[in-house]
Amino acid sequence: MVFPSYDEMPGTSADQYPIDGLLSSSLNLLNNDYNEDDFQAVQPWGAAPETAMEYAEMLPGPSGTMNNVENGNMEYGEWEPDDYGTGEVDAVFTLPVFQNDEIPPTSKDQVTSGPSRTVVNDPDLANGITLNIDADGDFDIASAPVVPAPQSFEVPALQSTTSKAKKSHNLVIDSLLGQANLLSARGNVPDAIKLLHDIVRQEPRRPEAYFQLAHIYETQGLELKSFEHRLLGCNVDRKTSENDWDATGDIAITLGKHEEAAACFKKAAKVAPTQWIYYEKQIRSCEQTGHVARAMKARLVAAQNVDCRAHGFDFVWLVSMIKCVVDYYNDDENKCINALMVHIQRCIEFNIDCSEQHEILVTQLLRREEYSRAAESIVAICPGFTALDQQGYPSWVITEKSTVSPWPPVRIATIEVSPNFPSLMLCRLVLCFSRMKQVRLASLVYEEMFRRGFDVNTAGLYADVARVFLELEEYEHGEKFTSNLLRYTNFVNDAELFYLHGLFNDKLNNLDIAERQYRHAISLDPNLVNARVCLSQLLQNRNDTTGAIEILADANLDTCSQYPDQRILVRQASLLENTNPEGYIRCLRLLLAPHFHLVLRRQQQTMIVKRHRNCINLPTGLKKILFTIVRSASFTKLVEDMGQSVLEDNRELLLKTTDVYDYTLKLVERLLGEHRVEEALQVLAYASLYPFLDEQTTRNLTNYLFTIGLHAKHFVVAFECVRFLLADADSKLASGKIDQTTFDIRRQRLFLALGFIAVQHQGASIQRFIDRLYTKNLDNLQLKMLVANNALQSGFYKTAVYLFNQVDQAYPNTLAKLSLGVAFIGRACKKTSSDRIPLGVRALAKFTEYMHAREAEGLVQEAYYNVGRMFHGLGFFTQAVYWYERCLGTPDPVVYRNDVPLPSDTYSMKPLAALNYIDIIKKNNPLRARQLRKTFCVM
């Protein structure tokens, strides 16, 4: 069916009834020959990100609640009816929704949701209302200030907010609505429309005006405008019935607007949630538009709310519905849990055993650490658990939807547990109530659990419950819980449980019992490091330092979660320094861990807040890089655990800032001795960000950072350190802390370091910094050489020739001559070059000077190779072969390091020369190429 555009409709004109580009384009969309790009250009869609629909959002609100009120701010016409009612069913469907003639959901590649799309925005109304469809397929009314417009009729505005004034104003509006109805009946349609438009401008939330406009447009044959005004009326009316929404959705289907139809049927299903017909129509419309995700959400809500007995549906129908949803959301665990909860609720309704499904549900919720939902599910679904208040009345009510009200529970005095209630669920309730900080209720549950006796199925949860009591600092409950467990013979060899019992007694100041339990736990498991640490702490507090050190002598402290006493660590470090290098490193790292934790805690402050006046501030760029290193450090987990342990125990750290600095240097020195350069850099990154370092200490650590950054090939850190030290030297010279001679020497060394970094690592930030530095030091030959090298690498050959020539004249050297020759060759090889021959001659001249200088230095092999490479690049292969052969015939250079000669092939150019030689002759002389490869290119 081909729908005419708005301008083609008989009896109307765009001048008489103006309409915006969106509505006219919407009619054209129903034809087959429309251009989607043109439609999107007329009215672009707003960018609304798709949000995941939670399970609670899919449920229709209970009776007497307002579904669409946010933050308690209710607007007229934006909330759902108080009384949903049962509604009437037009037809009874006994077959499942998955029929052969439907379009089945195939994959998630189909359209699942879209941006917020404008449905109605009629400028004729001037009511400040725009009706949209959001990403979840719901109607959304956007309000804007009403633009004043000339009125054809004098419609009074509301002058006061008193009840009397409102009542009088409503009577006036009602009389005007009757007048408009009378004008329409007499055939004066234009005046009726104008009067209704004026009413809408004054009262945009009165649905009667929209319904009258819809009726007028329907009599004129304007089905689209009639539908839009009917849709506006339904949305602003707070009491729209499910039948009205259903009729509006049917009209949308006849107009081909399936997305608007799905939204209407969704509204109808919210008003009458037990009626299947509205869900089926919504699902059909969503699948017609390709919104498979919306269809699946409708299936899930229908499976929960539809009255199966009234419609004649059996349990198999429900299972097929839920299975379809689970198959679609197989990679979304939250959606699968919601579907499983619906399945369990329906099983209870049909008196079908669902213990297996409930076990899966509780396991999934516990794994996701949703303890409140898990406890509510156990209490609501497992029969036999009742909580009573002080008067003996039940403290909660279990609803038909298998929920508990109120939840979390309040005012519980006692509990009653049936003997048939599973012991595993009792233990899980203890864990969940503890995590919910319902310690009183948890104690009542575990007392009942211990009265039953030991259950082997719950053994794995006991230690988890004890750890929860430890986290919540409920030491009395923890001690009572663990002492009850130790009465069972099943735990006589459980070292972890004895350690926890000792720890609870330690917190309660029962030191003798704690020591006895610690020693017993260590005898059961000598590798239980936490028990050793706690026992050493206890002995140290009793001034038994020797015993404390002996307990930790052979323990691997990297795996502990309790922080030892720093005095013990200091003594242990002094003992391990010359006997156990690896143990010494671990001990120092553990000693510094809580101090380094301060860096992680104050990360945001360190980036923006200056240190105190006796400290020097590192630049922001260096801080960012150091924090990147810190976050990826191999011992950051240790730093977090130990720092958190110190915070929880509220312990005082004994090391001062100077001690932190000294132990940092000792640790770095030992790590470098073990060739663990990367780990040494991580330690220095932590120490450099420590917030209490003085000026000289920060400067020393920056020097160490530069050196170790170069060894670790972390050149960005080295560059940021050089930049910081250059700025620091400038500030010290300006403040008079150093003289000009010291400044010149320091700057010369830093320029050398910067040159080394630039050779090893190229980056835009380094090049820009060198350029800025050169503009301030135009006479510095080192910077001039670096800028010339940057120009050569970037292809600015004229600049490179100019700067290299200045360097060569001021300080003749072979590198400048070689670079000049390369720059001349680059200029000669440009397509736009008009003087290639003179430039080539200059290049040959510079290469000749370079070769003679290298011959005088005794490094002819490098010179011959570079000359051959020049001819090779220019395409003069005969000359290139000649110089490559001369390179292969010269002896390798002898280089000394610390007065020791290096192997002869360390700086040999023969393999490179042979490779280039082979590349030239491999086609014409493969035998010679094979011989060269075998002689020079095989290891």
Side-chain angles (χ1 to χ4, degrees), residues 235-253:
N235 276 279
V236 300
D237 189 3
R238 68 174 71 183
K239 296 182 180 179
T240 304
S241 66
E242 67 273 17
N243 294 326
D244 292 336
W245 281 117
D246 184 40
T248 307
D250 291 336
I251 295 173
I253 290 179

Side-chain angles (χ1 to χ4, degrees), residues 430 446-447 449-450 461-470 474-492 494-506 508 510 513-514 517:
V430 177
Y446 75 66
E447 288 174 359
M449 183 178 65
F450 287 131
L461 294 175
Y462 290 139
D464 295 336
V465 175
R467 293 190 193 96
V468 174
F469 285 132
L470 182 62
E474 296 288 343
Y475 304 129
E476 293 183 358
H477 286 289
E479 194 278 334
K480 184 178 179 181
F481 183 80
T482 51
S483 62
N484 282 319
L485 287 178
L486 292 176
R487 293 182 303 174
Y488 298 119
T489 57
N490 305 77
F491 297 102
V492 293
D494 194 331
E496 179 74 14
L497 196 58
F498 278 99
Y499 155 69
L500 289 173
H501 187 237
L503 186 58
F504 286 125
N505 281 280
D506 194 353
L508 295 173
N510 301 325
I513 300 177
Q517 299 295 64

Side-chain angles (χ1 to χ4, degrees), residues 136 158 185 279 376 676 755 758 798 802 868 920:
D136 289 330
L158 181 62
Y279 294 109
E376 184 180 13
R676 295 155 68 172
K798 288 185 178 181
Y802 173 74
I920 296 173

Side-chain angles (χ1 to χ4, degrees), residues 797-798 801 822-830 833 835 839 842:
Y797 298 117
K798 288 185 178 181
V801 167
V822 174
F824 279 124
I825 290 176
R827 288 192 62 191
C829 292
K830 276 193 170 183
S833 178
D835 48 357
L839 291 173
R842 292 183 183 181

Side-chain angles (χ1 to χ4, degrees), residues 154-276:
E154 292 297 330
V155 178
L158 181 62
Q159 301 296 330
S160 176
T161 58
T162 62
S163 58
K164 184 176 180 181
K166 289 182 179 179
K167 184 176 181 180
S168 176
H169 181 73
N170 289 334
L171 290 174
V172 174
I173 296 298
D174 289 340
S175 64
L176 291 175
L177 287 170
Q179 183 180 351
N181 194 13
L182 185 60
L183 289 173
S184 175
R186 291 176 177 176
N188 193 357
V189 175
D191 287 344
I193 292 176
K194 292 178 182 178
L195 178 56
L196 290 172
H197 284 177
D198 292 342
I199 294 173
V200 167
R201 291 189 185 98
Q202 291 296 335
E203 288 291 335
R205 298 286 178 172
R206 289 295 293 264
E208 295 87 352
Y210 298 106
F211 288 136
Q212 287 192 27
L213 284 169
H215 178 70
I216 291 173
Y217 289 133
E218 184 179 3
T219 57
Q220 290 185 338
L222 302 176
E223 288 86 358
L224 180 59
K225 293 201 71 173
S226 174
F227 165 72
E228 290 171 349
H229 288 79
R230 183 185 179 92
L231 198 57
L232 277 173
C234 290
N235 276 279
V236 300
D237 189 3
R238 68 174 71 183
K239 296 182 180 179
T240 304
S241 66
E242 67 273 17
N243 294 326
D244 292 336
W245 281 117
D246 184 40
T248 307
D250 291 336
I251 295 173
I253 290 179
T254 60
L255 295 175
K257 292 184 170 295
H258 294 280
E259 191 171 2
E260 288 83 347
C264 292
F265 296 135
K266 187 175 183 179
K267 288 281 190 179
K270 285 184 178 180
V271 179
T274 61
Q275 303 302 316
W276 162 245

Side-chain angles (χ1 to χ4, degrees), residues 633-911:
S634 58
F635 56 92
T636 294
K637 183 66 168 58
L638 176 69
V639 171
E640 292 176 346
D641 293 342
M642 296 299 101
Q644 194 64 32
S645 175
V646 170
L647 286 178
E648 291 175 356
D649 296 340
N650 197 19
R651 295 165 62 178
E652 182 180 357
L653 299 177
L654 304 177
L655 296 185
K656 300 179 181 179
T657 303
T658 54
D659 298 329
V660 173
Y661 175 69
D662 293 339
Y663 283 116
T664 298
L665 294 186
K666 290 181 180 179
L667 179 57
V668 170
E669 180 183 3
R670 187 54 61 94
L671 288 172
L672 292 177
E674 298 288 332
H675 303 288
R676 295 155 68 172
V677 184
E678 190 68 30
E679 194 171 347
L681 180 64
Q682 295 168 0
V683 173
L684 279 176
Y686 268 111
S688 300
L689 294 171
Y690 191 63
F692 303 119
L693 300 177
D694 58 18
E695 181 178 349
Q696 187 58 42
T697 302
T698 302
R699 194 172 288 109
N700 293 341
L701 287 176
T702 307
N703 288 324
Y704 288 126
L705 266 177
F706 166 73
T707 304
I708 297 179
L710 292 180
H711 283 287
K713 299 188 184 304
H714 210 304
F715 299 108
V716 179
V717 173
F719 165 68
E720 292 292 342
C721 292
V722 169
R723 182 154 66 173
F724 164 68
L725 294 173
L726 281 170
D728 182 57
D730 291 336
S731 63
K732 291 189 117 181
L733 178 65
S735 61
K737 294 182 179 179
I738 58 175
D739 54 12
Q740 186 65 40
T741 304
T742 305
F743 173 75
D744 292 338
I745 295 174
R746 183 174 297 179
R747 189 177 63 169
Q748 194 75 7
R749 293 174 178 175
L750 290 173
F751 287 165
L752 284 173
L754 186 62
F756 180 79
I757 295 171
V759 170
Q760 299 293 330
H761 178 77
Q762 291 291 332
S765 59
I766 297 178
Q767 291 187 4
R768 287 195 298 265
F769 178 74
I770 292 173
D771 292 340
R772 291 195 302 268
L773 206 59
Y774 174 65
T775 57
K776 301 177 183 178
N777 304 272
L778 295 175
D779 297 332
N780 189 279
L781 292 180
Q782 293 172 332
L783 292 179
K784 190 172 292 188
M785 194 75 174
L786 291 175
V787 173
N789 182 67
N790 291 341
L792 181 62
Q793 301 235 350
S794 304
F796 296 97
Y797 298 117
K798 288 185 178 181
T799 304
V801 167
Y802 173 74
L803 294 175
F804 279 130
N805 191 41
Q806 286 186 345
V807 173
D808 191 37
Q809 290 178 359
Y811 181 74
N813 61 91
T814 55
L815 181 58
K817 291 179 173 58
L818 175 62
S819 301
L820 266 174
V822 174
F824 279 124
I825 290 176
R827 288 192 62 191
C829 292
K830 276 193 170 183
K831 293 182 179 180
T832 58
S833 178
S834 59
D835 48 357
R836 296 184 179 181
I837 295 178
L839 291 173
V841 172
R842 292 183 183 181
L844 288 174
K846 287 300 176 182
F847 267 97
T848 303
E849 293 181 16
Y850 157 73
M851 185 176 62
H852 291 328
R854 273 311 202 189
E855 286 176 347
E857 296 173 357
L859 300 173
V860 294
Q861 187 184 94
E862 174 201 317
Y864 294 160
Y865 169 76
N866 283 326
V867 173
R869 189 72 184 87
M870 176 197 67
F871 283 115
H872 192 178
L874 292 175
F876 297 103
F877 299 124
T878 303
Q879 290 80 357
V881 167
Y882 170 77
W883 290 105
Y884 285 148
E885 286 182 343
R886 293 195 64 177
C887 176
L888 295 175
T890 55
D892 293 330
V894 180
V895 181
Y896 292 87
R897 181 176 295 171
N898 298 329
D899 297 331
V900 178
L902 297 176
S904 59
D905 59 347
T906 304
Y907 293 98
S908 176
M909 306 300 295
K910 290 181 180 179

